[in-house]
Amino acid sequence: MAVTDEAIEKIRGMIVSGALRPGDRLPKESVLAGELGLSRSSLREAVRALSLVRVLDVRQGDGTYVTSLDPRLLLEALGSVVELQRDGAVLDYLAVRRILEPAATALAGSRIGRDELDALQARLESLGGDSAVEQLVEADLEFHRRTNAACGNPVLRSLLDALAAPATRARVWRGLAREHAVGRALDEHRQILAALRDGDAEAARSWSTVHLAGVERRLRSTP
């Protein structure tokens, strides 16, 4: 194991064991390095790596703290990874989304509020087959983020938010515009919304599956 990897594991071990809790300040570098049997340089590299994935928060002039470790915060790094993917890897991430998001949509069926539903409906009604791709992507992201937010599971919500790759969605909507199929995709969103409004979890799950399977199919066929 590389020295930096060993340092990372030792800090993670302190967090897992409860020796360091969310919001705690790490001991001074010299003290912590001594306690863990590490060089200060390897400890510094480990802290830098853990700050990139939002486990630690380095505050200049104040010290280094354990973050809240909130799932949404920790999974932000996954969103950056998804945005960098190309070709087949994009489809692999989308397949994960296709497995998880219908379940989240079904859970939202009994939880989403009327105000949220009205806001989503108003947004969908403002769109049409001639809407700009940028508008469609923005509305698509908002629709799925709001429905996922209502699932009641912060880990599932955060994971799906991380899988929401705007660049991939732009590619999908550009393909729909070329195929003159924007109206069909918007209708799939309306069907999901109608099922949510009816509180029909299984219908919401089914329409979400249909929609995401269509997205995957279009991506596979779009160069």
Side-chain angles (χ1 to χ4, degrees):
M1 180 183 292
V3 175
T4 300
D5 291 339
E6 181 185 0
I8 290 171
E9 286 305 310
K10 286 186 175 182
I11 297 173
R12 283 170 43 130
M14 293 180 71
I15 295 171
V16 171
S17 70
L20 287 173
R21 298 180 180 277
D24 281 355
R25 180 178 176 176
L26 270 64
K28 290 183 178 180
E29 184 182 271
S30 58
V31 174
L32 185 58
E35 289 179 355
L36 297 179
L38 300 168
S39 69
R40 294 177 68 171
S41 61
S42 61
L43 177 60
R44 204 171 295 130
E45 287 299 317
V47 167
R48 185 177 296 113
L50 289 170
S51 68
L52 289 174
V53 293
R54 312 301 293 276
V55 173
L56 298 179
D57 178 20
V58 179
R59 305 175 189 174
Q60 294 299 324
D62 186 13
T64 299
Y65 292 79
V66 180
T67 67
S68 66
L69 303 180
D70 180 86
R72 188 167 189 176
L73 180 69
L74 297 179
L75 286 167
E76 281 181 0
L78 175 59
S80 298
V81 171
V82 174
E83 279 294 297
L84 294 172
Q85 302 304 301
R86 294 292 182 273
D87 303 325
V90 168
L91 293 169
D92 290 339
Y93 283 99
L94 182 57
V96 174
R97 184 180 161 215
R98 179 166 52 81
I99 293 168
L100 296 178
E101 190 159 327
T105 307
L107 288 170
S110 61
R111 293 176 170 86
I112 194 165
R114 184 173 297 277
D115 289 346
E116 280 289 280
L117 292 169
D118 290 345
L120 289 173
Q121 184 163 347
R123 188 63 183 272
L124 287 176
E125 288 177 352
S126 71
L127 301 171
D130 58 349
S131 296
V133 169
E134 293 76 14
Q135 290 177 295
L136 294 166
V137 171
E138 183 182 350
D140 185 48
L141 286 167
E142 179 184 354
F143 182 91
H144 292 282
R145 283 174 178 159
R146 287 194 176 205
T147 53
N148 293 336
C151 76
N153 184 316
V155 175
L156 180 57
R157 171 194 177 179
S158 299
L159 182 55
L160 288 169
D161 281 350
L163 291 171
T168 301
R169 294 187 188 215
R171 179 179 164 192
V172 170
W173 285 101
R174 282 195 296 268
L176 289 169
R178 285 195 299 269
E179 298 168 11
H180 305 289
V182 168
R184 184 176 64 207
L186 291 176
D187 186 59
E188 291 168 359
H189 285 81
R190 293 187 186 99
Q191 295 291 349
I192 295 170
L193 183 59
L196 291 172
R197 195 177 286 281
D198 291 341
D200 190 335
E202 289 311 308
R205 184 197 306 272
S206 296
W207 277 109
S208 179
T209 302
V210 167
H211 173 61
L212 291 169
V215 169
E216 186 174 348
R217 184 178 63 253
R218 290 163 196 140
L219 266 180
R220 289 187 185 279
S221 62
T222 302

